[in-house]
Amino acid sequence: MKLYITLYLLFFSTILFAEFSVGDTLPKITLADQFEKQHQVNGKDKLLILTFEKDIAEKVKQYLEVQTTDFLKKNQAKYISDISKMPSLVTSWIALPKMKKYPFPIMLIYDDYGRNFSQKKGKITVYRIHKNKIVSIQFIAPDKLSSIFNPI
């Protein structure tokens, strides 16, 4: 009996956290930013830029800080950072106050929702979407971030 329950839970958890794949239609994604303002991925968005590691997020921040304040909006992009592994005290006392100084919104993942997105260590994950459908998934080095906005 325990084996059946274990198998059921394992199967159910993989359904809950199945990674989004090329060809999938994204579900409604609504996340709060560093100011607790809700942002939603919508049919007009073409890029989702995701970070899962502190040093990679820092490189994205450095890139976005030197762009115009409407850069993400102009490029129909959303920046999402998974901060679920960060201890809550660090998040509330250090990270969020720092993020509130950034001139761009960061949609934040505080829980296991980040498991729905593909990721590779040391890379930025980029989902290209068209009308909420995933067209491609790329893993790029932080120094190549500008290439997603000016594809060759």
Side-chain angles (χ1 to χ4, degrees):
M1 183 66 167
K2 286 183 181 180
L3 177 64
Y4 291 119
I5 292 171
T6 304
L7 289 174
Y8 175 77
L9 290 173
L10 182 63
F11 175 75
F12 186 67
S13 68
T14 49
I15 290 174
L16 271 179
F17 295 111
E19 286 183 10
F20 301 132
S21 303
V22 173
D24 289 352
T25 299
L26 286 174
K28 182 179 177 179
I29 299 173
T30 304
L31 297 167
D33 68 9
Q34 67 268 43
F35 301 102
E36 298 179 26
K37 179 181 175 194
Q38 298 292 314
H39 293 267
Q40 185 174 355
V41 175
N42 60 55
K44 294 179 184 176
D45 294 316
K46 295 188 178 187
L47 289 172
L48 296 183
I49 302 161
L50 292 107
T51 57
F52 299 90
E53 302 166 56
K54 180 184 176 190
D55 56 333
I56 302 303
E58 177 64 24
K59 301 221 176 172
V60 172
K61 177 200 77 112
Q62 291 170 357
Y63 177 81
L64 292 175
E65 277 184 324
V66 298
Q67 309 304 321
T68 60
T69 54
D70 65 342
F71 182 78
L72 289 171
K73 185 176 181 177
K74 209 165 50 173
N75 283 283
Q76 297 169 301
K78 294 278 189 336
Y79 174 30
I80 301 172
S81 186
D82 184 337
I83 61 170
S84 62
K85 294 177 184 121
M86 190 181 298
S88 60
L89 281 176
V90 173
T91 301
S92 57
W93 287 87
I94 299 169
L96 286 175
K98 273 175 92 174
M99 289 179 198
K100 288 179 180 179
K101 296 176 183 173
Y102 302 168
F104 52 86
I106 307 169
M107 297 171 69
L108 300 170
I109 298 174
Y110 291 93
D111 55 22
D112 286 342
Y113 192 69
R115 292 172 52 187
N116 290 301
F117 297 97
S118 299
Q119 58 183 287
K120 284 191 181 176
K121 187 164 178 53
K123 302 288 184 178
I124 299 165
T125 301
V126 178
Y127 280 75
R128 290 194 183 277
I129 53 179
H130 179 71
K131 296 182 180 176
N132 280 346
K133 192 168 205 134
I134 301 169
V135 177
S136 71
I137 303 169
Q138 299 171 279
F139 305 99
I140 61 168
D143 62 335
K144 304 289 184 199
L145 182 57
S146 63
S147 69
I148 68 168
F149 299 103
N150 304 311
I152 299 172

